[in-house]
Amino acid sequence: MKNVGKYARGYFMPPVKSMKWAMKEYITEAPVWCSVDLRDGNQALVVPMTLEEKLEYFQMLVSIGFKEIEVGFPAASETEYAFLRTLIEEDLIPDDVTIQVLTQSRDHIIKKTFESLKGAKNAVVHLYNSTSVAQREQVFKKSKKEIIDIAVTGANLLQKYASETEGNFKFQYSPESFTSTEIEFALDICNSVLDVWKPTNDSKVIINLPATVSYSMPHVYASQIEYMSDHLSYRENVILSVHPHNDRGTGVADAELGILAGAERVEGTLFGNGERTGNVDIVTLALNMYSHGIDPLLKLDNIREIISVYEQQTKMKVYERHPYAGELVFTAFSGSHQDAIAKGMKWREEKDCDQWTVPYLPIDPKDIGREYEGDIIRINSQSGKGGIGYVLEQKFKFDLPKDMRESVGYSVKNASDHLHKELIPNEIYDIFMQEYVNIKEPMEFIRFSFSNDDNFETTVTLNVNGEMNEFQGVGKGRLDAISNAIQTELGIAYTNLVYKEHALEVGSESQAVSYVGVTSQNGTVYWGCGIDVDIMTSSVKALFSAVNKLVASEGIELNGISTSKTTKHA
């Protein structure tokens, strides 16, 4: 691409190597989660939420289990101010939930912020100012010392107004654009603020290090976080927080490595809503931990309901391939994937497994409120026999023989390919019923009878083009006798009669289902299925379904019986 030389690396590595985080394998406990949906997320919406929408969203965040929620920038607009006052005055904030508000380091803004917080049971006042090279030089045109003075002035004002305001307050400071700030300067300004607040074990403060714009690979951010963690003053009384954005598509990785590097708190949004490419996605972060057996301490087992409220209030959409939450993320269309999932689910059922190890599914979809039927395996022209067989078994209780699944699979895939569409379970059922079950053309089975149970002598009655015909046969068993009658009397040759049966529950009625496969002289296997309240009758219907497919497909003429009026069954 052209103009590549105009882009320099916009980040700063620590002056010493900080790589202890790289020795850790995984996150061992959930961080403190702070939702910034109602502030950072809300300001990024095309149409910000109304007061009523913010109230409903707040209640959802509480129900999910967030204990810290940034509710807005109350000095910025009347809606923000009114929302905060409504939460406080109508006692809508649970005792174990801390609200957070944002403020710039300006006297009148901080004053109004504390006015909005009067009577708050627990609140974090979040002070920030920009510290990056670009912001200092291009926007504020101030020296490092002047930028530090802005932060220190704000820190002092927070203490002043907190002492004059009814409520319980904790302080937070963010060097905005931390990732594009020289690390030594970021450390200096944070420590200057800490020297004002002098945090103690009983009065801890939050230092939040945002990737306001993501410039580096995640390991660089981790090294920056680790350096700050190792060198911050009053470290034992500081809660270290990260606030990654997703400009490089690495927001989740930045947060995860940031936690390994010493961060104890994460600010983010549901599904990653936020400025530009968004904030870090807390749903993905939390369920990543869950997939490693770590309780994220958030209630995400009703993901569809959460998505519904999110989409309604933000007017945003959760992408179909969004990790964990997307409509298609647990869905397999590929035949090989479907086969592996179906076998994995069966293995899990047979072995009564405690651990989740199903191929292609990192977590059990049911744990977040998703259903196996219609969620895991969906059918189109790319699907395979395993997936189609799985749908018929899970949804309709047809346990097809292994070899029959291939035949049914081709029929269903061909239909999907011809229609250029995904097939829903009922459409798959209709195809199976039409092409395999109780087929009556060219020969419709009417009845059978046996005159000798020892030799299994049978008389079979058929209807071909409205004419009744009776044929006799003898065999080693009932189905064998009827099969011999078909072959001898009608001149239909086939071998390798394969048979399987089981009970089929349909509503309140118990029926029997049978499957029969026969091999024609050219080696093609034809399968049929029979359903009846009587197990023997279902077996005979399955046999005739298979033989009818053979006759129709290979154009066989029946001995002495005209089939010219019949329609061949595809």
Side-chain angles (χ1 to χ4, degrees):
M1 293 178 62
K2 295 180 179 178
N3 301 322
V4 66
K6 70 192 288 187
Y7 297 103
R9 298 178 187 87
Y11 58 87
F12 297 88
M13 282 293 289
V16 296
K17 287 188 177 180
S18 298
M19 295 288 288
K20 295 190 295 293
W21 61 266
M23 304 304 293
K24 300 176 184 178
E25 182 181 350
Y26 58 90
I27 296 167
T28 57
E29 62 181 2
V32 175
W33 302 109
C34 178
S35 162
V36 295
D37 290 79
L38 294 171
R39 199 277 301 171
D40 207 346
N42 184 60
Q43 76 182 32
L45 298 176
V46 176
V47 179
M49 286 182 265
T50 64
L51 175 62
E52 291 73 19
E53 288 170 336
K54 293 189 78 171
L55 287 169
E56 182 174 349
Y57 205 102
F58 178 83
Q59 295 294 343
M60 177 183 69
L61 293 172
V62 170
S63 70
I64 291 171
F66 283 98
K67 301 305 179 186
E68 296 189 7
I69 302 171
E70 189 167 79
V71 295
F73 195 147
S77 74
E78 286 306 312
T79 299
E80 300 278 281
Y81 190 97
F83 172 55
L84 180 52
R85 292 312 307 162
T86 301
L87 289 176
I88 296 172
E89 292 170 6
E90 296 188 11
D91 198 23
L92 298 176
I93 308 166
D95 290 344
D96 63 345
V97 172
T98 298
I99 57 171
Q100 178 171 300
V101 294
L102 186 70
T103 181
Q104 294 172 333
S105 182
R106 300 171 69 182
D107 193 336
H108 71 284
I109 291 177
I110 294 174
K111 181 180 179 181
K112 187 169 184 178
T113 298
F114 276 93
E115 289 174 359
S116 72
L117 285 169
K118 183 179 180 181
K121 296 175 185 176
N122 296 289
V124 173
V125 183
H126 180 186
L127 172 72
Y128 80 97
N129 68 311
S130 297
T131 59
S132 69
V133 176
Q135 293 270 18
R136 296 195 316 259
E137 292 179 349
Q138 301 172 33
V139 180
F140 298 104
K141 295 180 172 57
K142 292 183 181 297
S143 68
K144 289 181 180 180
K145 182 182 181 304
E146 290 172 310
I147 296 295
I148 290 176
D149 288 343
I150 292 173
V152 168
T153 297
N156 280 300
L157 287 170
L158 258 61
Q159 286 188 321
K160 173 182 182 295
Y161 286 109
S163 67
E164 299 170 355
T165 307
E166 175 193 354
N168 183 30
F169 305 111
K170 180 186 289 187
F171 300 150
Q172 172 174 324
Y173 175 68
S174 292
E176 190 196 8
S177 301
F178 162 75
T179 46
S180 52
T181 300
E182 307 92 327
I183 296 301
E184 297 96 326
F185 178 59
L187 182 65
D188 285 345
I189 196 168
C190 288
N191 281 338
S192 296
V193 170
L194 290 172
D195 284 337
V196 174
W197 289 339
K198 294 181 172 54
T200 66
N201 186 55
D202 296 328
S203 182
K204 294 186 177 183
V205 302
I206 302 166
I207 293 295
N208 184 57
L209 303 176
T212 309
V213 180
S214 178
Y215 287 104
S216 69
M217 295 173 68
H219 73 286
V220 172
Y221 186 57
S223 294
Q224 293 170 332
I225 299 301
E226 187 169 275
Y227 178 82
M228 294 290 288
S229 179
D230 288 345
H231 294 86
L232 281 171
S233 302
Y234 311 92
R235 180 64 183 91
E236 68 277 10
N237 299 320
V238 170
I239 300 167
L240 188 59
S241 177
V242 292
H243 179 119
H245 278 247
N246 199 42
D247 301 271
R248 291 172 55 89
T250 59
V252 168
D254 287 340
E256 290 181 327
L257 296 191
I259 294 170
L260 292 182
E264 303 139 287
R265 182 178 183 270
V266 174
E267 295 188 346
T269 60
L270 298 180
F271 312 113
N273 177 40
E275 298 281 8
R276 304 179 311 280
T277 57
N279 289 59
V280 68
D281 176 4
I282 287 182
V283 172
T284 299
L285 275 171
L287 291 176
N288 279 355
M289 294 178 197
Y290 184 73
S291 73
H292 283 172
I294 306 301
D295 187 351
L297 304 179
L298 293 176
K299 189 175 182 294
L300 300 171
D301 54 2
N302 58 339
I303 198 70
R304 290 190 186 280
E305 182 180 338
I306 293 170
I307 290 171
S308 176
V309 175
Y310 169 83
E311 292 187 337
Q312 180 180 359
Q313 306 305 346
T314 68
K315 311 303 183 291
M316 303 282 284
K317 301 294 291 184
V318 174
Y319 174 48
E320 291 87 346
R321 298 293 181 188
H322 192 107
Y324 302 107
E327 187 66 27
L328 297 177
V329 297
F330 293 111
T331 300
F333 290 105
S334 162
S336 61
H337 288 211
Q338 291 176 342
D339 185 58
I341 291 171
K343 289 176 179 175
M345 296 293 285
K346 195 171 188 66
W347 168 276
R348 178 174 174 78
E349 182 179 342
E350 291 173 349
K351 303 295 183 181
D352 193 24
C353 301
D354 291 330
Q355 299 295 309
W356 180 262
T357 59
V358 176
Y360 298 111
L361 299 178
I363 66 171
D364 186 345
K366 284 196 171 181
D367 286 341
I368 59 171
R370 302 288 293 270
E371 296 298 324
Y372 294 151
E373 295 175 4
D375 266 344
I376 294 182
I377 291 178
R378 290 164 58 174
I379 305 304
N380 62 18
S381 61
Q382 303 300 308
S383 302
K385 59 183 181 181
I388 293 165
Y390 179 86
V391 170
L392 288 171
E393 181 174 3
Q394 294 294 312
K395 185 75 174 176
F396 305 107
K397 310 307 179 187
F398 288 107
D399 185 13
L400 275 59
K402 179 181 178 181
D403 292 340
M404 185 181 184
R405 293 188 176 209
E406 183 171 2
S407 174
V408 176
Y410 279 121
S411 295
V412 174
K413 287 168 61 176
N414 287 341
S416 175
D417 192 31
H418 177 72
L419 295 170
H420 299 291
K421 60 172 284 191
E422 176 189 352
L423 299 178
I424 63 174
N426 284 344
E427 291 174 317
I428 297 167
Y429 173 82
D430 290 343
I431 293 169
F432 178 67
M433 295 295 292
Q434 178 185 351
E435 298 201 13
Y436 291 90
V437 179
N438 296 351
I439 297 175
K440 299 177 181 179
E441 293 180 349
M443 300 174 291
E444 179 184 5
F445 162 71
I446 302 300
R447 59 183 172 271
F448 63 83
S449 62
F450 286 89
S451 58
N452 188 322
D453 287 341
D454 293 330
N455 294 324
F456 295 105
E457 296 176 359
T458 186
T459 298
V460 185
T461 303
L462 305 180
N463 180 348
V464 181
N465 290 333
E467 296 181 8
M468 296 296 177
N469 297 269
E470 291 188 345
F471 303 98
Q472 283 73 42
V474 179
K476 297 177 182 179
R478 291 190 171 194
L479 190 62
D480 184 55
I482 295 172
S483 176
N484 288 339
I486 293 173
Q487 295 189 73
T488 302
E489 298 287 349
L490 297 174
I492 305 171
Y494 55 82
T495 59
N496 298 330
L497 183 67
V498 180
Y499 173 72
K500 178 182 178 179
E501 66 184 39
H502 64 81
L504 180 70
E505 297 292 332
V506 180
S508 60
E509 298 180 1
S510 178
Q511 293 185 302
V513 59
S514 300
Y515 312 95
V516 168
V518 298
T519 304
S520 69
Q521 288 183 309
N522 67 14
T524 303
V525 179
Y526 295 92
W527 287 93
C529 176
I531 300 176
D532 197 89
V533 293
D534 175 68
I535 187 63
M536 185 63 211
T537 303
S538 77
S539 302
V540 176
K541 288 181 177 180
L543 173 62
F544 273 94
S545 295
V547 173
N548 275 329
K549 288 176 71 70
L550 185 159
V551 170
S553 297
E554 300 194 3
I556 294 175
E557 292 294 328
L558 307 182
N559 288 348
I561 299 179
S562 171
T563 61
S564 59
K565 293 181 182 179
T566 64
T567 302
K568 291 184 179 181
H569 189 84

